[in-house]
Amino acid sequence: MEYKVKIDAFEGPLDLLLHLIKKLEIDIYDIPVAEITDQYLDFIHHMQKIELNIASEYLLMAATLIAMKSRMLLPKPELDDEDGDEPYEDPEMAREALMQQLIDYRQFKEAAETLKINEGERMQLFAKTPSDLSSFENNDLTSIPVSGRATVHDMLRAFQRLMLKKKLEQPLSTKIDRQILPIGHQMNKVMNELKRADHPLSFQSIFSYPDRTHFIVTFLALLELMKMNAVICRQSDNFDDILINLGEGADEFEASEDPFDY
Amino acid sequence: MNLKPAKIHSIIEGLLYLTGEEGLTLDQIGKVLPECTGQEITNLVEQMRKDYEENDESGLMIVDQPNGFRLTTKPFMADYAEKFAVIPKTAPLSQAALETVAIIAYKQPVSRIAIEEIRGVKSERALQTLMVKGLIKEVGRAEGSGRAILYGITPVFLDYFGLHDLSELPPLSEMMKHQNEQMDAYDLFYDHYKETINDL
Amino acid sequence: MNLKPAKIHSIIEGLLYLTGEEGLTLDQIGKVLPECTGQEITNLVEQMRKDYEENDESGLMIVDQPNGFRLTTKPFMADYAEKFAVIPKTAPLSQAALETVAIIAYKQPVSRIAIEEIRGVKSERALQTLMVKGLIKEVGRAEGSGRAILYGITPVFLDYFGLHDLSELPPLSEMMKHQNEQMDAYDLFYDHYKETINDL
């Protein structure tokens, strides 16, 4: 059997079993334990060969399948033996239980597919952020009874949602965190952008990458450029965006300066 | 009522604009327009829904949400909307989260252990994601010594998947033959199986 | 141009709705609809402006702003907006306001730019709302030429959230740690596997 399907397509051992059942065109109501066990182990073995630290759930299922397969090879003991330490475990029952588990799981997997379609349709629809009606509202928040107020929990959840959203939007951010970002490099970048744009740029626009390290380094680069008179920053009013323009020292700025010289 | 239908129409449109993604509930419209009955409002909104839908010149449509509606752009607008950075794009749910929320929707109230039994894998992360997104909530505690947290879906779930109520979920393809029971052993498969044996 | 006027009309309406109070510049429309000339767009918007104005069923209108326009509610709507605003809300603070006040509580003194950097969206309105409600105040100015206003929380904040002092907020480091655990993007197992696959 070839392993063209990548493992990250699977949600766990049940999902993998369902895949094997489908691929081998097995009747889920009559699972050939020996065959499915061999195929499953083959798959797991293949994963081990690439030195993958297999998740315990996959191994547990492997053990379960092996136990079932070996019991099927043994003759059924006398009924008297049920008085022993361990009751006899009928492999037929185990097979039924596995079948039921697979059928149950498959139903929810299908339901998840339907939900995914719904989600996709819903994500095509956009709405504006609500207008700020606070000028009409009662502004004395403390007059709101405690039961009607937002709680610390609401606030923390809002914050966590924000962080989660940001994280999901930037799957690569952890890798970039570890990169060395020299200040000189950012200075060159800001100057190049200003020269190319040929008009003042907004403070926000130069912080294009929403990452903490990037933000700090870019900010330091900007301060350094201001010190050199290479750029001038202006803000006309409170809340207004700060505009960055080339300064008198811009022509003297050496783009080829060693980026690690800071 | 004193207001003309056209006027009421315009007021609702204005409110739908102001509330944007938060939307409006029928209740809220009723409070702003006390002279209208709920039926009148519902009829008018239905008319508006049709008008938007049939109007090729409009990029807007009315979408239902729990107990109300909101104004959104039509699906074809997605390409254009995404060109604007001001529109935050949310990441779709992972397969793990989708399976988990599906189980909760069909079997609520349900514990983490029961979910993991069905999925065959740990589902803690998926549960946390769903909690943060507000799609599920804690609805109680299981009886017994474990007192496991039980999860259920929220109105946000319905809204997120564009459903009016849970009855719109497609029926599960097969009847669940086993009642979902609380099991706290690690080897769920064997427990299940031993129970079957003991019942003989 | 390939798009029909009705289609362009609907796209502009959709974008006007999405951008709300911020509005659209002619430039922005031009970027989304590169096949249209500025003149065509201007003519269409003029037509839309007239349509809204003459349509008694619409509560919306188009107003000019520098280099562009925005959609807003008609003046008569003010009364109804007011009626709507005084309806007690289940969530008296918006998601935007909650996010912003959380950032301020944890990072004070903090500038608007720093808040926007974290949130990824403009936060002027949220700040104004919080100021008006007395939850935050100006606590100083940043060093340097920008001299940005720095914000901090007020005693009203503590009172409103039922805190005795800020030390009762859970430490941010813990929250971030917790938050990382909530990442569901993929199971570590799969991430690991994919890396291995890529290395082959």
Side-chain angles (χ1 to χ4, degrees):
Chain A
M1 178 167 182
E2 283 183 53
Y3 299 96
K4 282 177 183 161
V5 181
K6 286 189 179 169
I7 193 69
D8 62 4
F10 300 114
E11 280 296 318
L14 294 175
D15 203 14
L16 173 53
L17 278 176
L18 283 180
H19 166 75
L20 293 174
I21 285 167
K22 195 173 168 196
K23 176 140 186 142
L24 301 168
E25 295 177 347
I26 288 170
D27 177 7
I28 197 167
Y29 294 99
D30 187 20
I31 301 168
V33 174
E35 187 185 359
I36 201 83
T37 303
D38 292 346
Q39 294 292 347
Y40 186 89
L41 292 178
D42 202 13
F43 203 104
I44 296 288
H45 182 64
H46 206 80
M47 286 155 76
Q48 276 171 332
K49 267 198 242 171
I50 55 166
E51 293 177 87
L52 176 67
N53 188 15
I54 294 177
S56 59
E57 289 116 350
Y58 283 86
L59 291 179
L60 181 64
M61 178 58 77
T64 306
L65 288 169
I66 293 168
M68 207 191 305
K69 183 184 166 190
S70 54
R71 267 190 223 102
M72 283 188 144
L73 299 173
L74 296 173
K76 194 172 179 175
E78 297 298 315
L79 281 177
D80 300 349
D81 285 3
E82 277 202 45
D83 298 333
D85 289 343
E86 286 187 22
Y88 169 68
E89 295 176 348
D90 187 345
E92 221 18 75
M93 291 292 179
R95 195 172 76 122
E96 284 250 322
L98 177 62
M99 178 196 88
Q100 192 58 50
Q101 205 182 4
L102 285 170
I103 289 171
D104 286 355
Y105 173 65
R106 191 172 64 177
Q107 294 188 103
F108 290 110
K109 198 172 138 66
E110 285 165 4
E113 279 307 308
T114 314
L115 289 180
K116 196 186 173 77
I117 293 166
N118 281 18
E119 180 193 43
E121 284 170 358
R122 201 66 166 174
M123 279 184 150
Q124 298 292 301
L125 310 181
F126 294 84
K128 77 186 259 289
T129 49
S131 301
D132 187 4
L133 300 174
S134 56
S135 55
F136 299 119
E137 285 169 5
N138 178 358
N139 287 317
D140 184 4
L141 276 177
T142 47
S143 70
I144 299 171
V146 173
S147 61
R149 298 181 187 182
T151 64
V152 172
H153 183 71
D154 292 331
M155 184 177 69
L156 296 185
R157 177 169 290 189
F159 191 68
Q160 286 184 340
R161 280 166 90 156
L162 168 71
M163 289 298 153
L164 185 72
K165 200 174 84 191
K166 274 178 71 103
K167 193 103 184 192
L168 288 169
E169 283 165 358
Q170 309 161 28
L172 293 174
S173 66
T174 50
K175 282 181 187 148
I176 285 146
D177 279 347
R178 292 186 197 112
Q179 275 181 2
I180 301 162
L181 187 59
I183 293 172
H185 178 270
Q186 279 311 95
M187 288 168 66
N188 289 342
K189 189 162 170 281
V190 170
M191 289 303 285
N192 286 340
E193 275 178 17
L194 279 171
K195 282 176 179 165
R196 194 173 47 224
D198 203 29
H199 60 75
L201 290 176
S202 80
F203 185 78
Q204 279 198 68
S205 70
I206 68 164
F207 295 97
S208 52
Y209 203 90
D211 166 81
R212 184 180 301 274
T213 312
H214 191 275
F215 176 70
I216 292 167
V217 173
T218 308
F219 189 67
L220 290 174
L222 194 62
L223 292 179
E224 202 59 42
L225 289 170
M226 283 165 67
K227 204 171 83 187
M228 293 165 66
N229 250 333
V231 301
I232 297 169
C233 293
R234 243 198 326 260
Q235 186 186 34
S236 49
D237 206 348
N238 292 344
F239 293 111
D240 276 359
D241 214 328
I242 297 168
L243 287 179
I244 302 163
N245 206 352
L246 291 172
E248 290 168 1
D251 292 333
E252 288 159 45
F253 178 80
E254 280 287 337
S256 58
E257 261 182 282
D258 181 7
F260 287 95
D261 206 12
Y262 282 89
Chain B
M1 74 190 192
N2 305 320
L3 294 169
K4 282 184 196 152
K7 182 84 171 184
I8 298 169
H9 190 293
S10 70
I11 292 168
I12 296 175
E13 187 184 73
L15 289 176
L16 282 171
Y17 170 80
L18 290 173
T19 51
E21 64 189 2
E22 270 177 21
L24 269 179
T25 62
L26 268 172
D27 228 35
Q28 287 170 327
I29 301 177
K31 281 185 179 133
V32 175
L33 297 168
E35 54 275 77
C36 300
T37 66
Q39 194 53 51
E40 283 169 327
I41 294 168
T42 313
N43 291 346
L44 241 154
V45 174
E46 281 317 308
Q47 189 54 52
M48 287 172 75
R49 188 200 306 275
K50 244 181 98 194
D51 291 348
Y52 278 121
E53 201 181 299
E54 288 168 1
N55 183 356
D56 282 347
E57 290 201 332
S58 177
L60 304 176
M61 64 188 266
I62 290 179
V63 174
D64 287 322
Q65 63 182 38
N67 304 314
F69 2 77
R70 66 165 167 254
L71 202 59
T72 72
T73 50
K74 287 178 180 166
F76 83 85
M77 281 291 301
D79 288 346
Y80 302 99
E82 280 165 10
K83 289 188 184 164
F84 277 79
V86 286
I87 313 298
K89 193 170 152 60
T90 44
L93 291 174
S94 67
Q95 184 65 23
L98 282 169
E99 285 180 10
T100 304
V101 82
I103 293 168
I104 296 171
Y106 283 98
K107 309 205 80 166
Q108 62 176 341
V110 62
S111 70
R112 177 173 60 83
I113 300 284
I115 293 164
E116 291 176 349
E117 185 198 351
I118 294 170
R119 295 192 59 228
V121 286
K122 295 237 182 296
S123 306
E124 214 167 321
R125 276 158 189 253
L127 281 170
Q128 281 171 339
T129 301
L130 294 168
M131 287 286 276
V132 170
K133 292 207 167 205
L135 296 170
I136 60 166
K137 62 180 177 195
E138 296 182 17
V139 291
R141 295 270 177 170
E143 295 292 320
S145 62
R147 310 272 299 133
I149 296 166
L150 297 175
Y151 298 93
I153 54 140
T154 65
V156 177
F157 169 89
L158 295 175
D159 190 20
Y160 186 85
F161 291 107
L163 304 167
H164 293 96
D165 57 66
L166 276 181
S167 67
E168 284 182 20
L169 282 174
L172 289 179
S173 54
E174 299 185 51
M175 285 296 290
M176 302 290 293
K177 285 172 193 158
H178 286 262
Q179 260 310 311
N180 164 49
E181 277 157 39
Q182 204 59 55
M183 298 189 194
D184 37 19
Y186 36 92
D187 193 342
L188 298 160
F189 176 62
Y190 269 125
D191 274 0
H192 202 107
Y193 161 63
K194 276 178 198 158
E195 270 176 28
T196 320
I197 290 287
N198 292 337
D199 287 344
L200 290 178
Chain C
M1 71 189 195
N2 305 320
L3 295 170
K4 283 184 193 147
K7 183 87 169 182
I8 298 168
H9 190 291
S10 68
I11 292 168
I12 295 175
E13 185 185 72
L15 292 178
L16 278 170
Y17 168 69
L18 288 177
T19 50
E21 283 76 22
E22 288 199 8
L24 273 177
T25 62
L26 267 172
D27 252 22
Q28 284 174 313
I29 302 177
K31 275 184 193 139
V32 177
L33 297 168
E35 53 274 77
C36 301
T37 66
Q39 193 53 50
E40 283 169 325
I41 294 169
T42 313
N43 291 346
L44 241 154
V45 175
E46 279 319 308
Q47 188 54 49
M48 288 172 75
R49 188 201 306 275
K50 242 180 102 195
D51 292 346
Y52 276 121
E53 201 179 298
E54 289 168 2
N55 183 356
D56 282 347
E57 290 201 331
S58 177
L60 304 176
M61 63 186 223
I62 290 177
V63 294
D64 287 322
Q65 63 181 32
N67 305 317
F69 4 76
R70 67 191 160 91
L71 201 59
T72 184
T73 48
K74 286 178 180 164
F76 83 86
M77 277 297 299
D79 285 348
Y80 299 97
E82 197 170 341
K83 275 191 193 170
F84 175 78
V86 297
I87 300 171
K89 304 284 186 312
T90 43
L93 288 173
S94 65
Q95 173 80 8
L98 283 171
E99 283 175 13
T100 305
V101 82
I103 293 166
I104 295 171
Y106 279 102
K107 311 208 125 188
Q108 65 174 341
V110 61
S111 70
R112 178 176 60 87
I113 298 285
I115 294 165
E116 291 177 346
E117 186 67 29
I118 294 170
R119 294 192 56 222
V121 288
K122 287 215 193 305
S123 305
E124 209 169 319
R125 267 161 204 282
L127 281 170
Q128 281 168 348
T129 302
L130 293 167
M131 288 282 276
V132 169
K133 291 184 188 291
L135 291 168
I136 61 165
K137 63 179 177 194
E138 294 184 18
V139 292
R141 293 273 177 166
E143 296 292 317
S145 65
R147 309 272 302 133
I149 296 167
L150 297 174
Y151 297 92
I153 54 136
T154 65
V156 175
F157 170 89
L158 295 175
D159 180 35
Y160 180 78
F161 287 106
L163 302 168
H164 293 98
D165 57 68
L166 270 184
S167 66
E168 286 181 21
L169 278 178
L172 190 58
S173 55
E174 221 169 83
M175 282 191 36
M176 297 303 283
K177 208 177 89 195
H178 184 56
Q179 195 271 315
N180 283 338
E181 280 163 12
Q182 286 175 335
M183 284 311 300
D184 171 58
Y186 296 97
D187 221 274
L188 282 176
F189 169 61
Y190 295 138
D191 277 353
H192 194 96
Y193 187 83
K194 270 192 283 187
E195 272 174 35
T196 319
I197 289 285
N198 291 337
D199 289 343
L200 291 178

